[in-house]
Amino acid sequence: MCGIVGYVGKHPVTRVLIEGLRRLEYRGYDSAGVTVVKDGQFQTLKSTERVEALAKDVAKAKLQGTYGIAHTRWATHGGVTLANAHPHHSSDGLFSLAHNGVIENYLKIKKFLLEKGYTFQSETDTEVLVNLIAYHYQKQPVAADKNRFLESVRRSLRHVEGTYGIAVICKEHLGEIVAARRGSPLILGVGDGEHIIASDVAAIALHTQSVVYLNDEEIVHVTDKDFSLSTIDEDDIEAVIHTVDWSIEEAELGAFKHYMEKEIFDQPVALENAMRGRFSDDGSTSKFGGLNLSPQELRQVDRILFCACGTAWHACLVAEYLIERYARIPVEVEYASEFRYRNAPLDKNTLVFILSQSGETIDTLGALREAKRKGHKTLAIVNVVGSTIAREADGGIYQHAGPEIGVASTKAFTSQVMVAAMMALHLGRIRDMSYSEGQAFVEALKQVPAQVQSILDQSEAIKAIALKYVDAEDFLFLGRQNLFPIALEGALKLKEVSYIHAEGYPAAEMKHGPIALISPECPSVFLVAQEDTYQKTISNIQEVKARKGRVIAIAHEGGDFPKDLVDDLILIPECHPAVQPILATIPVQLMAYAIAAARGCDVDKPRNLAKSVTVE
Ligand code: G6P
């Protein structure tokens, strides 16, 4: 969380920094701030409101400079106050720093610095780091070479425990920015006579498509014309410049009111892109270019572990149902944050799958590293190209869902489920799935974008249903088998964006507790499968109706669903059972969006959340 940006170059610096912050705001929006350098002096403005408020203040103050740094904050150490907003200055006034991450040993360092006479204005761990840099700077001889600034940052970082992506500027080294990372993402954009440092390509792509992804423990010294990359331990590194294919247009809101709405409607295209070029010529299986595992090696896998956080964890649960059913490989699903500290015993033939939209979630990255440390093969399903998880996994599959800006994940989720379904097919076909079953599976997948579009075409009707329940303060989402994860996702979506309390349960499990909540005030959304558990789910609906609960059912067309049993019915197309989780997701997303928008919630930036969680 937190977004940092730094710029030195030919364009007006405040414009570049503010535009960068706008594109990083999904990483946290508790406060924002900017420091630019003019006539050798720091000009700093901060706001405890959103980036737009800061942008207005910057325009009003006519803030100008030649280069600078900026930050958008997701609060960890210290409340949302101006004093705690970044950038932070050293108490001698020489340094200004923007930081993403957590300095875990900051209290110890702070004690040391207080004894040396340094003073602090904020409660943050960041202010400790900037003063530590000032301390190391003063310790070096004044006649030290031109690297004195870089060296003082490097030396300070050697004493730091925890995570950081930082950008630092120094009044005695004008036109230079030093940036470094450990655990928090940091990317250098390399332009013609300009350089930009940011937490995400989104803030860079306006200026250049040439980027250097910093790895952990790397530090970069930047001027407008030049940059040099090295490790914290002082080894020089040859920078590898990548070209990013990042389209600014894809991240524009267009005619939609919110990114969440736009991204819900992006789904037919995102799903098409997840499949593009990934079916065999005979149309009976899927193929992936980046697995780095041969069919023989995949055949050796006798267990799969999926790790992720949040919505991606729900996609893992769908993957469990699909892979166990169609490939007959036992699957376990773990919260990444639990797995990395649990020391779970894993058989040597366990393949570890990591799912992450951003590819930067720190707990998920931690789980990946733990699995690799233990010698397991790791594969990742990631949306953001070039992200840390994508680079560190042994192989993987890009989702190609396009930029997802809304904090509540929508198109990334259905695209993860699509990739998981394709993986189930792939693994199934190198085991027991027949040629004709494979062909039927491929055909079913290919129909999904059009089926999703047909549900989106009903969006006005779904919205009208959702608005009947806008005043509810509690909701239940219930589904069985591969629709149980969609019940969890439906509940999560609603609570994230509308702040309504919602719980997802397996429909049958409702009898063992949640049924106590049933009343006319607590509506239930039932996700009704086409096959197997269809009749059982209808019985569960009867149980709710018998207790005067209101029911919205999401069921398939073409069946004999008893319409009069429920208060509201949303029909989705008949489909192959493997893809019903994708189709059933669309109405719950539309409902969550409609209710949140009607309640006047900040749909794209819900309170307390951030899209990319880079602290533990
Ligand atoms: C945060 C976001 C969620 C997201 C989760 C995992 O909690 O608010 O929307 O599902 O992180 O993110 P990832 O990028 O790893 O999929």
Side-chain angles (χ1 to χ4, degrees):
M1 12 260 293
C2 299
I4 64 172
V5 50
Y7 179 78
V8 51
K10 52 200 172 191
H11 294 295
V13 63
T14 43
R15 206 178 71 207
V16 177
L17 294 177
I18 293 292
E19 189 49 47
L21 287 186
R22 283 194 181 107
R23 292 175 187 274
L24 296 178
E25 202 173 16
Y26 72 87
R27 303 179 63 83
Y29 30 84
D30 287 332
S31 64
V34 52
T35 299
V36 294
V37 183
K38 190 179 177 204
D39 303 330
Q41 297 304 313
F42 291 156
Q43 318 270 319
T44 298
L45 268 183
K46 301 180 184 186
S47 168
T48 50
E49 291 170 47
R50 299 284 167 88
V51 170
E52 274 329 301
L54 178 71
K56 282 196 187 123
D57 294 347
V58 162
K60 206 161 140 203
K62 298 196 169 56
L63 197 70
Q64 281 173 358
T66 47
Y67 70 106
I69 56 174
H71 185 271
T72 178
R73 179 172 188 240
W74 188 83
T76 58
H77 293 60
V80 180
T81 63
L82 275 184
N84 289 334
H86 299 218
H88 288 284
H89 299 336
S90 54
S91 56
D92 63 8
L94 281 187
F95 294 88
S96 183
L97 182 151
H99 168 219
N100 164 208
V102 172
I103 308 298
E104 289 170 4
N105 58 341
Y106 82 107
L107 285 175
K108 199 170 136 205
I109 300 173
K110 188 168 186 175
K111 186 163 172 279
F112 168 82
L113 291 170
L114 282 167
E115 283 162 10
K116 301 277 177 208
Y118 288 83
T119 55
F120 296 87
Q121 317 296 322
S122 78
E123 303 152 85
T124 64
D125 49 340
T126 306
E127 198 185 7
V128 172
L129 178 56
V130 71
N131 277 299
L132 186 63
I133 293 169
Y135 166 77
H136 281 288
Y137 188 77
Q138 295 307 342
K139 258 182 60 177
Q140 291 182 67
V142 176
D145 64 60
K146 60 183 174 46
N147 286 336
R148 186 176 169 203
F149 171 29
L150 172 66
E151 283 310 311
S152 54
V153 179
R154 202 198 300 273
R155 285 179 197 191
S156 304
L157 293 178
R158 288 195 195 127
H159 294 275
V160 158
E161 289 163 21
T163 55
Y164 52 79
I166 52 165
V168 201
I169 51 178
C170 174
K171 269 188 203 168
E172 292 187 348
H173 290 256
L174 297 176
E176 300 175 30
I177 303 176
V178 173
R181 80 161 265 182
R182 182 202 289 156
S184 305
L186 204 62
I187 301 162
L188 170 69
V190 182
D192 178 15
E194 58 176 348
H195 286 106
I196 180 162
I197 289 153
S199 308
D200 186 342
V201 165
I204 294 177
L206 268 178
H207 300 272
T208 173
Q209 304 275 312
S210 301
V211 300
V212 176
Y213 295 103
L214 268 71
N215 291 310
D216 277 353
E217 312 285 337
E218 287 181 0
I219 186 164
V220 65
H221 177 266
V222 177
T223 62
D224 54 353
K225 298 203 174 50
D226 217 354
F227 75 93
S228 66
L229 186 65
S230 54
T231 65
I232 304 292
D233 290 333
E234 257 170 283
D235 300 323
D236 286 343
I237 296 172
E238 186 84 34
V240 182
I241 299 183
H242 296 263
T243 304
V244 288
D245 181 17
W246 207 94
S247 135
I248 299 291
E249 294 74 44
E250 275 189 284
E252 300 297 338
L253 204 45
F256 292 98
K257 204 160 166 229
H258 296 101
Y259 280 105
M260 182 179 179
E261 184 188 25
K262 170 189 181 285
E263 288 157 6
I264 290 172
F265 281 84
D266 276 349
Q267 286 176 113
V269 174
L271 291 161
E272 200 73 64
N273 288 343
M275 289 188 282
R276 195 179 308 285
R278 287 181 169 160
F279 293 120
S280 63
D281 292 343
D282 69 358
S284 78
T285 189
S286 50
K287 55 178 188 180
F288 303 101
L291 292 186
N292 299 331
L293 285 173
S294 67
Q296 288 76 9
E297 285 170 307
L298 280 175
R299 195 73 178 85
Q300 305 295 317
V301 171
D302 51 25
R303 197 165 204 92
I304 297 180
L305 175 73
F306 275 90
C307 284
C309 300
T311 287
W313 185 79
H314 295 156
C316 294
L317 291 181
V318 181
E320 177 181 18
Y321 279 96
L322 297 179
I323 292 175
E324 290 196 339
R325 176 165 175 180
Y326 296 103
R328 308 298 301 155
I329 304 174
V331 174
E332 278 168 80
V333 179
E334 288 250 21
Y335 283 114
S337 55
E338 289 297 303
F339 170 75
R340 63 185 296 203
Y341 292 114
R342 204 164 74 82
N343 197 21
L346 292 186
D347 184 81
K348 68 174 175 10
N349 290 331
T350 302
L351 173 68
V352 177
F353 250 106
I354 299 289
L355 261 71
S356 176
Q357 187 284 130
S358 62
E360 300 292 352
T361 302
I362 192 100
D363 283 322
T364 314
L365 179 59
L368 167 72
R369 289 176 175 166
E370 181 62 13
K372 284 185 76 173
R373 199 171 295 125
K374 290 185 166 161
H376 292 282
K377 281 274 178 217
T378 55
L379 292 178
I381 299 175
V382 170
N383 192 34
V384 177
V385 175
S387 55
T388 309
I389 290 174
R391 287 181 292 128
E392 292 196 14
D394 296 316
I397 306 167
Y398 279 124
Q399 299 177 225
H400 300 309
E404 192 181 68
I405 313 284
V407 165
S409 183
T410 51
K411 66 176 176 178
F413 173 72
T414 47
S415 137
Q416 282 160 347
V417 174
M418 171 58 87
V419 174
M422 293 167 73
M423 199 66 216
L425 166 68
H426 189 77
L427 293 170
R429 286 287 289 129
I430 54 175
R431 286 181 159 73
D432 300 328
M433 190 190 284
S434 70
Y435 178 76
S436 58
E437 282 171 320
Q439 277 191 319
F441 204 117
V442 169
E443 280 314 307
L445 294 179
K446 285 184 177 168
Q447 285 176 35
V448 170
Q451 290 170 326
V452 166
Q453 186 58 55
S454 76
I455 303 169
L456 292 172
D457 292 343
Q458 302 179 53
S459 67
E460 283 306 315
I462 295 172
K463 179 177 168 191
I465 291 173
L467 293 184
K468 293 190 200 170
Y469 301 88
V470 74
D471 294 325
E473 288 307 330
D474 297 282
F475 256 88
L476 284 179
F477 285 76
L478 302 157
R480 283 167 173 250
Q481 300 292 299
N482 68 18
L483 293 182
F484 161 53
I486 309 309
L488 293 176
E489 176 60 10
L492 179 65
K493 248 1 28 133
L494 186 67
K495 73 184 136 195
E496 276 181 313
V497 296
S498 72
Y499 318 138
I500 293 173
H501 165 244
E503 291 185 42
Y505 264 88
E509 192 61 21
M510 172 199 69
K511 298 188 288 294
H512 304 289
I515 198 163
L517 295 177
I518 299 293
S519 75
E521 281 72 48
C522 173
S524 302
V525 177
F526 271 88
L527 301 148
V528 187
Q530 263 173 165
E531 40 150 48
D532 299 348
T533 54
Y534 176 74
Q535 287 303 342
K536 301 276 181 209
T537 310
I538 298 212
S539 303
N540 296 141
I541 295 176
Q542 301 272 16
E543 289 150 17
V544 170
K545 289 310 298 177
R547 287 160 183 84
K548 302 198 167 43
R550 289 184 294 166
V551 171
I552 305 143
I554 298 170
H556 292 268
E557 289 161 358
D560 56 355
F561 188 86
K563 192 173 182 304
D564 296 339
L565 178 62
V566 296
D567 299 80
D568 288 290
L569 176 63
I570 298 168
L571 288 175
I572 58 176
E574 279 183 275
C575 63
H576 190 288
V579 302
Q580 69 179 5
I582 299 179
L583 303 194
T585 300
I586 313 301
V588 297
Q589 292 173 341
L590 287 167
M591 286 175 63
Y593 172 71
I595 291 174
R599 287 168 73 114
C601 298
D602 192 347
V603 180
D604 287 332
K605 298 189 186 77
R607 69 183 179 209
N608 304 337
L609 298 178
K611 187 155 189 68
S612 184
V613 180
T614 53
V615 296
E616 283 192 53

